[in-house]
Amino acid sequence: MLSTLLVVLPIFALIFAGWLARRIGVLGAAATTELNRFVVFLALPALLFDVTAHAHWSAIWKPGFIGAFGLSSLAVFVLTVLIRRGAGRALADAAVDGLNAGYANTGFMGFPLALVAFGPEALAPTTVAAILTVCGVFAVAIVLIETGLRREAVASGRGGESRRPVWWTVARSLVRNPLLVAPALGALVPSAGLTVPEAVATFLKLLGGAAAPCALVALGLFLAQTRHTGGGQGRTAALLVGLKLALHPLLAYGLGHYLFDLPPLLLHTAVLMAALPTGTGPFMLAEFYRREADLTATVVLASTVLAVVTVSAYLAVIA
């Protein structure tokens, strides 16, 4: 419990810093949007490029682990999207909800927890989980969000979109999206046998290192604003948190143990990564695309608080 709490405390400290800065007037009303745009257009693309450009694919190629964690993440994401669409949710909003349930905080919490729980041997599969999360599930969500937005534009006739096929406007938006372009370009570096120059690598580390803390501060800024909670949001948040903290790790365990027959280290690492709370990615997208961010903020906070108990319980069981 203590090791998990020590990892989670800095997350709350950063959220509180943003909340306090807004409450005492250090940062104004526009700070949430502007800080989030910095993350989306600069810091996070740098991080994604850095991750894929420095990935040692031969060392982290673990098909069973990829299957267990990747398929469980994608299954929870798709299931959530279908549930929310069935409830009348727009496709773009349902995609954000899918991320709320399937996007684990592998980057900010995964590495320190894996190191504490399983030692240095768990860092390679944790890297795989981070890549699958930030470059895989995230990319699928962006595609669905863009598709949903273009369909809305076509239906309303805004911007002349009705004169163009939906697939054309979606494809055009995707190739201009830095969150997809950056990891794709980064993957070309090791594929072509190239290396990132030291000065460029330092630049990427400095800029990419700002992604997670700035996103958490932006979350705190958002929470400090006057919020109008919609009816039934508590039940929806509970559903999404339950899918994230219960269904996701259960699926990862089932796939890893029964289908892929993973060795203990890979199995427990996959389950630990799946049991992590919702990361800040869904909030960044909700804020960036001007979708409903209140629900996402609630899910991020609630899942992070509850994960202190659930993750600690899991680690105690397998100890």
Side-chain angles (χ1 to χ4, degrees):
M1 175 72 79
L2 180 59
S3 62
T4 306
L5 184 61
L6 291 176
V7 172
V8 173
L9 276 178
I11 294 177
F12 287 114
L14 286 166
I15 294 173
F16 177 73
W19 181 88
L20 185 62
R22 179 70 185 96
R23 282 296 185 181
I24 65 177
V26 172
L27 294 176
T32 304
T33 299
E34 295 306 317
L35 186 57
N36 197 69
R37 288 176 66 84
F38 163 75
V39 173
V40 171
F41 282 101
L42 291 174
L44 188 55
L47 175 63
L48 296 176
F49 183 95
D50 188 43
V51 168
T52 54
H54 290 90
H56 301 288
W57 301 109
S58 58
I60 63 177
W61 176 244
K62 303 178 185 300
F65 181 89
I66 293 172
F69 180 79
L71 289 178
S72 64
S73 300
L74 188 60
V76 172
F77 173 83
V78 171
L79 176 62
T80 305
V81 171
L82 292 176
I83 292 174
R84 299 298 286 147
R85 287 288 285 160
R89 190 83 153 155
L91 179 59
D93 296 311
V96 175
D97 293 341
L99 276 185
N100 283 329
Y103 187 96
N105 196 344
T106 52
F108 205 66
M109 292 180 63
F111 286 99
L113 270 179
L115 187 62
V116 169
F118 307 124
E121 297 81 6
L123 294 182
T126 301
T127 301
V128 177
I131 293 174
L132 290 172
T133 300
V134 300
C135 300
V137 179
F138 205 55
V140 174
I142 291 174
V143 171
L144 290 183
I145 291 172
E146 291 284 357
T147 302
L149 293 178
R150 299 312 158 190
R151 285 180 177 176
E152 291 176 11
V154 169
S156 63
R158 296 194 307 267
E161 296 292 343
S162 58
R163 296 192 295 271
R164 295 176 178 173
V166 173
W167 67 265
W168 170 260
T169 54
V170 171
R172 187 180 62 180
S173 297
L174 293 179
V175 298
R176 296 152 82 181
N177 193 311
L179 300 180
L180 295 181
V181 174
L185 292 177
L188 295 177
V189 175
S191 301
L194 304 175
T195 57
V196 179
E198 184 176 351
V200 176
T202 301
F203 165 78
L204 293 172
K205 293 291 185 186
L206 290 172
L207 185 55
C214 285
L216 291 167
V217 170
L219 176 58
L221 289 168
F222 178 82
L223 292 172
Q225 300 172 5
T226 301
R227 302 163 62 200
H228 303 285
T229 303
Q233 191 181 89
R235 291 191 298 273
T236 302
L239 169 65
L240 298 177
V241 171
L243 290 171
K244 180 70 210 68
L245 298 183
L247 182 60
H248 195 183
L250 283 173
L251 277 178
Y253 179 84
L255 289 170
H257 182 68
Y258 296 106
L259 183 60
F260 296 104
D261 193 24
L262 294 178
L265 175 64
L266 292 182
L267 176 63
H268 294 316
T269 304
V271 176
L272 176 62
M273 294 299 105
L276 293 175
T278 305
T280 55
F283 174 77
M284 287 187 293
L285 286 188
E287 179 69 16
F288 178 70
Y289 283 107
R290 300 291 193 272
R291 311 311 290 186
E292 182 184 340
D294 295 276
L295 175 61
T296 300
T298 300
V299 171
V300 172
L301 278 176
S303 63
T304 302
V305 172
L306 292 175
V308 176
V309 177
T310 57
V311 170
S312 298
Y314 175 72
L315 294 178
V317 168
I318 65 174

